[in-house]
Amino acid sequence: MKKALLFTIFFSLLCVLNAEKGTWKNKNYNFTVWYNKTSHPGDAVFARIIFTPKTKEAKAAAGKSGGQMVLVKKNAAENAKPAGKADFYMISTDTKTDTILAGIPLSSYLSEGDYELKFTYSAFGMSPETFSLPVVIEHKDFVSETIPLDAQNTSIKTNTSSERMDQIKRLNEILGRSDPQSVYETNAFVPPNPATRRTSFFADRRVYAYNNGKSSTSLHYGIDYGIPTGSEVRACGKGKVVMAENRISTGWSVCIEHLPGLYSLYYHMSSLNVKTGQTVNQGDLVGLSGATGLATGPHLHWEIRLNMEAVSPDFFTGDFTFEKESSR
């Protein structure tokens, strides 16, 4: 208990001096943590830990590091539901270091305030250790909009056919997978098209007004780019194509797996240039934009999912895995 307490106090002091990086040493190994202390609802909290062995025992157990992190509201009751949690996965290992990564999606409805990121980790298969880091969730406003639907789009939105339900189920099964071996891209994502005109934004609070006088509410899960039909749509990062098909709601659609539990989606295209099972590099052509499925005009819907939760694509265009930061 004394060892864990000393560790927590020492690490907290480091975080006061450098809010996004902390380093700790013991006789068996050293380790450094990078994480984003400040976030917004709809973003994510990522942490990268690099373990460096110092003993023969630690070096012999390379590749056996892991752990979990949990985000909780500061001073919350002990039995309070966490704001999120995620398991670490290995992104690189050799005789010199083990590097693990994890990301927690933040609901766009998450309340602002002070939080704690609680870590439980095991370095080189050794006894588990714990520590905590501060996280601040800042306020963010989201757009509210009403979208009138014509008869065709009303029919799509209210479609309860077995075909559409099966499509939704299969996609949710894909997005629910988190394969620790699926490490393809640790660099910042790039937008799938250079266009700057956005017709809808991430986490817009929507009301769909049907042509029959009824309505429904929903959340917009991605960014809509107002681009002409036939515009190039390119992969935001390296990954494996895990879905490429025509869907009732989203038209010609592609889903790419980039990291365990991290996927990008591209909707309403007019044609596809990839197939399921194919590996693509960042910038590869995946299709051409269009207005297929439920669409009020030509556009590209770009979406990012992390552990099933829709998160802001803009967050991932920065160094979200600390790939550059950790190599300095």
Side-chain angles (χ1 to χ4, degrees):
M1 290 297 293
K2 288 184 179 180
K3 180 180 178 181
L5 180 61
L6 287 173
F7 167 77
T8 302
I9 293 173
F10 182 66
F11 205 102
S12 296
L13 288 172
L14 283 174
C15 287
V16 170
L17 298 174
N18 189 336
E20 295 187 355
K21 180 181 177 181
T23 301
W24 186 68
K25 303 177 180 180
N26 73 10
K27 65 179 183 178
N28 293 308
Y29 57 87
N30 301 337
F31 78 89
T32 302
V33 178
W34 286 265
Y35 83 112
N36 52 304
K37 179 182 179 182
T38 303
S39 289
H40 297 88
D43 288 343
V45 176
F46 268 79
R48 180 189 189 110
I49 305 180
I50 298 180
F51 296 101
T52 304
K54 296 167 66 176
T55 63
K56 290 182 179 180
E57 179 186 6
K59 291 178 180 179
K64 295 184 178 180
S65 301
Q68 184 183 74
M69 63 182 188
V70 180
L71 184 67
V72 297
K73 188 83 171 180
K74 190 174 182 180
N75 299 321
E78 189 173 336
N79 61 347
K81 184 179 179 180
K85 60 182 178 179
D87 292 330
F88 280 92
Y89 48 85
M90 191 75 63
I91 58 174
S92 67
T93 182
D94 52 39
T95 57
K96 295 181 179 179
T97 60
D98 273 3
T99 303
I100 59 176
L101 183 73
I104 294 175
L106 303 178
S107 168
S108 64
Y109 293 102
L110 187 67
S111 60
E112 61 187 271
D114 294 328
Y115 288 74
E116 286 184 288
L117 195 57
K118 297 185 176 181
F119 295 80
T120 300
Y121 76 92
S122 173
F124 306 109
M126 297 181 182
S127 299
E129 299 279 0
T130 62
F131 65 94
S132 298
L133 296 174
V135 170
V136 178
I137 306 300
E138 297 183 338
H139 177 78
K140 183 177 181 179
D141 292 317
F142 295 94
V143 174
S144 296
E145 62 178 352
T146 297
I147 299 179
L149 300 182
D150 60 17
Q152 180 179 345
N153 282 324
T154 294
S155 176
I156 293 174
K157 183 64 178 174
T158 57
N159 185 326
T160 58
S161 67
S162 59
E163 181 184 5
R164 181 168 180 257
M165 295 303 104
D166 285 344
Q167 289 175 353
I168 293 172
K169 180 182 177 182
R170 284 192 292 107
L171 180 56
N172 284 336
E173 288 174 348
I174 289 171
L175 298 176
R177 297 172 192 160
S178 185
D179 179 1
Q181 304 302 316
S182 296
V183 177
Y184 297 100
E185 184 64 88
T186 56
N187 290 296
F189 287 174
V190 295
N193 185 278
T196 57
R197 177 174 172 259
R198 298 183 179 189
T199 53
S200 290
F201 303 90
F202 169 74
D204 286 355
R205 277 56 170 157
R206 285 183 165 180
V207 175
Y208 285 103
Y210 302 150
N211 76 320
N212 59 12
K214 297 181 180 181
S215 65
S216 65
T217 59
S218 71
L219 196 67
H220 188 234
Y221 288 152
I223 295 171
D224 285 351
Y225 291 95
I227 52 179
T229 295
S231 301
E232 291 184 344
V233 178
R234 298 188 173 275
C236 65
K238 184 178 180 179
K240 181 180 180 181
V241 177
V242 290
M243 183 193 75
E245 64 184 41
N246 191 16
R247 305 177 72 243
I248 293 173
S249 295
T250 60
W252 287 104
S253 307
V254 169
C255 179
I256 301 174
E257 180 183 31
H258 302 284
L259 286 170
L262 181 63
Y263 299 85
S264 63
L265 300 106
Y266 314 78
Y267 289 163
H268 308 296
M269 291 187 282
S270 59
S271 63
L272 304 186
N273 197 56
V274 294
K275 297 180 180 180
T276 300
Q278 180 180 341
T279 299
V280 294
N281 291 313
Q282 186 175 77
D284 282 355
L285 184 69
V286 299
L288 300 178
S289 66
T292 57
L294 198 165
T296 57
H299 72 287
L300 168 68
H301 173 97
W302 180 39
E303 183 176 319
I304 303 294
R305 294 289 190 104
L306 174 61
N307 299 342
M308 290 290 289
E309 185 89 32
V311 282
S312 173
D314 289 327
F315 173 83
F316 294 87
T317 60
D319 186 23
F320 70 96
T321 70
F322 311 100
E323 183 80 4
K324 290 184 177 180
E325 183 68 26
S326 62
S327 61
R328 291 179 182 176

